[in-house]
Amino acid sequence: MWQIIFLLVISAVLVGLSWMAFAVCRFRSLGRIVPKKKWKRLLMGLLIVIPIMVVISFSLGFVNMVIMYLHLLIIWMVCDGVAFLVKRISRKEAKHYYSGIAAIAFTTIWLSIGWYNAHEVKRTEYNISTSKPLGVDNLKVIGLSDSHIGATFHWQEFEEYVDRINEEKPDMVVIMGDFVDDDTSKEDMVRSCEALKRLKTKYGVYYVYGNHDEGYWANDRRGYTLQDLERLLAENNVRVLRDENVEIAGNIVLCGRLDRTFASLKDRSRKTPAELMQGVDGKYVICLDHQPNDYDAEADSNMDLVISGHTHGGQFLGLGEIGVCMGANDAYYGHERRKNTDFIVSSGIGDWAIDFKTGCVAEYVVINIK
């Protein structure tokens, strides 16, 4: 899916660049000095647009520049389309380039909201009921995913999130992968792992890997290996689950799946839900699976609750639905029930290289099981 999205994005940037160059020349202040010949107008427009893109790229990063550019491009085209229809109906020529002004203003407001959503972590609560005996009165689980430490926040802010989670008085904390990625510095990784030791729970802190945790590039880029990360997690009282089950308390079992990308890229085997469910008949089984895309098999195996991340809640308006339609994920956000299994997907507390969330919020989840 991501390869297709990447190609579509690059194509949109290149094709839209000429349109954007002509569009900026339509502002009245520029129109007076812009040459009449199209190729000269195109050149002058590019000399305005490209330097702005370069400045934003150096300030916020290339990915964020592309995100801002594409939002502006789409919104601008929509505004121009509306202005064209108004002109056809009213048969009047606007004195100013109102659609261009509206596009810039609306994009600024929209992306400002997206910036806030990506950086202000919310609390999302779910209440799950079961007919199975838990062996405890109830269970309060706090779920964290997709922190990508160093992207939208660093270890100092992560310590504050740990303090907020302790105020919840959780029975258990689960981390559904992508704790770090290729751009997470060693200091951020080390200090954030140390922050996890401060978590106060009844039954412990548990972790499954996501597709970014090992890193897609050489480890010398970030200065540590997957083994370093796993060692530090263990030293700070975090139990890493790799296709294995652990009894929590009473009649509760926690199952941690190996991430499907993590397994396929490194030629590692990954157990099926049915294999993981062997020997746990009658127990309430909570499964941590970073990517929400094996729902049918997990429901057929009678897992009770599956908690995932990975999708970032769809990230942008409409993108989550596209991912589901393309078969990349079975769901992208929220709670649903299939057969006897509850599925919850969190949008995560952080982000990967992108500072905007226009289709969701940053969050940790509070799951009350009764």
Side-chain angles (χ1 to χ4, degrees):
M1 177 185 173
W2 287 109
Q3 292 88 342
I4 296 173
I5 292 176
F6 178 77
L7 290 174
L8 290 174
V9 167
I10 295 300
S11 300
V13 169
L14 296 176
V15 173
L17 201 56
S18 59
W19 185 92
M20 185 75 76
F22 282 116
V24 297
C25 292
R26 292 177 62 189
F27 285 105
R28 194 169 183 178
S29 56
L30 289 173
R32 296 170 180 172
I33 60 174
V34 173
K36 297 293 183 182
K37 290 186 177 181
K38 285 189 175 181
W39 72 269
K40 290 184 177 180
R41 292 175 69 88
L42 174 62
L43 180 60
M44 188 166 192
L46 291 175
L47 289 175
I48 295 170
V49 173
I50 292 177
I52 294 174
M53 293 172 67
V54 171
V55 170
I56 295 174
S57 183
F58 275 104
S59 301
L60 300 176
F62 177 78
V63 174
N64 283 308
M65 180 276 292
V66 171
I67 295 300
M68 295 171 70
Y69 167 81
L70 289 177
H71 274 81
L72 178 60
L73 179 65
I74 294 169
I75 292 171
W76 203 326
M77 286 181 168
V78 171
C79 289
D80 269 5
V82 172
F84 176 77
L85 292 176
V86 171
K87 179 182 175 182
R88 290 290 298 270
I89 295 170
S90 65
R91 299 182 183 278
K92 292 182 180 180
E93 188 76 36
K95 293 182 179 180
H96 299 281
Y97 189 21
Y98 292 116
S99 59
I101 296 170
I104 294 173
F106 185 83
T107 303
T108 301
I109 294 170
W110 185 248
L111 289 179
S112 295
I113 295 171
W115 180 280
Y116 176 82
N117 287 342
H119 291 79
E120 188 65 26
V121 176
K122 305 294 185 181
R123 173 190 188 272
T124 302
E125 186 169 358
Y126 298 96
N127 294 300
I128 305 295
S129 298
T130 177
S131 59
K132 287 184 178 179
L134 294 176
V136 297
D137 292 336
N138 51 62
L139 186 72
K140 188 174 188 178
V141 180
I142 304 294
L144 303 175
S145 73
D146 302 280
S147 54
H148 297 277
I149 304 291
T152 55
F153 60 83
H154 294 277
W155 65 267
Q156 296 92 335
E157 290 88 350
F158 186 70
E159 285 186 341
E160 295 176 7
Y161 300 145
V162 167
D163 293 337
R164 284 177 61 182
I165 291 168
N166 279 333
E167 291 174 4
E168 300 276 358
K169 297 181 179 179
D171 293 317
M172 179 171 63
V173 173
V174 295
I175 303 171
M176 293 88 72
D178 282 0
F179 186 62
V180 297
D181 64 22
D182 288 282
D183 295 320
T184 302
S185 69
K186 185 174 182 178
E187 181 184 18
D188 265 333
M189 184 274 289
V190 172
R191 299 298 292 268
S192 295
C193 284
E194 291 172 349
L196 292 173
K197 192 173 185 177
R198 296 164 49 187
L199 286 169
K200 301 174 182 178
T201 69
K202 285 184 181 179
Y203 307 124
V205 183
Y206 301 88
Y207 185 104
V208 291
Y209 285 115
N211 54 300
H212 282 274
D213 285 310
E214 188 167 18
Y216 286 96
W217 313 110
N219 282 312
D220 55 4
R221 171 175 174 173
R222 59 183 186 177
Y224 56 92
T225 64
L226 183 71
Q227 290 71 32
D228 294 328
L229 172 61
E230 190 163 333
R231 175 179 54 80
L232 278 164
L233 288 170
E235 288 176 359
N236 289 285
N237 301 331
V238 179
R239 172 77 180 270
V240 178
L241 300 177
R242 290 179 173 232
D243 266 357
E244 57 186 306
N245 299 336
V246 58
E247 293 191 5
I248 300 300
N251 201 44
I252 303 166
V253 169
L254 182 65
C255 164
R257 295 199 72 184
L258 192 65
D259 178 69
R260 72 167 189 168
T261 305
F262 191 89
S264 61
L265 289 179
K266 302 300 178 181
D267 194 28
R268 302 182 178 101
S269 61
R270 168 172 142 124
K271 291 183 179 179
T272 65
E275 290 173 328
L276 288 166
M277 287 294 288
Q278 291 178 3
V280 294
D281 293 342
K283 295 184 180 293
Y284 187 86
V285 179
I286 304 170
C287 177
L288 307 181
D289 191 0
H290 176 65
Q291 299 188 41
N293 45 32
D294 202 10
Y295 277 16
D296 288 340
E298 288 166 342
D300 288 342
S301 69
N302 292 316
M303 289 177 169
D304 295 285
L305 172 63
V306 179
I307 314 173
S308 303
H310 181 65
T311 63
H312 296 194
Q315 192 77 49
F316 300 113
L317 194 63
L319 190 58
E321 289 86 351
I322 293 172
V324 172
C325 290
M326 293 178 64
N329 304 298
D330 291 330
Y332 67 92
Y333 182 70
H335 170 244
E336 69 172 275
R337 187 171 176 85
R338 296 192 185 186
K339 296 183 178 180
N340 296 316
T341 306
D342 290 291
F343 293 90
I344 292 176
V345 183
S346 172
S347 59
I349 63 171
D351 224 320
W352 167 82
I354 301 173
D355 283 321
F356 306 95
K357 281 187 175 183
T358 61
C360 58
V361 298
E363 67 175 11
Y364 65 87
V365 294
V366 181
I367 306 171
N368 300 305
I369 306 169
K370 297 182 180 180

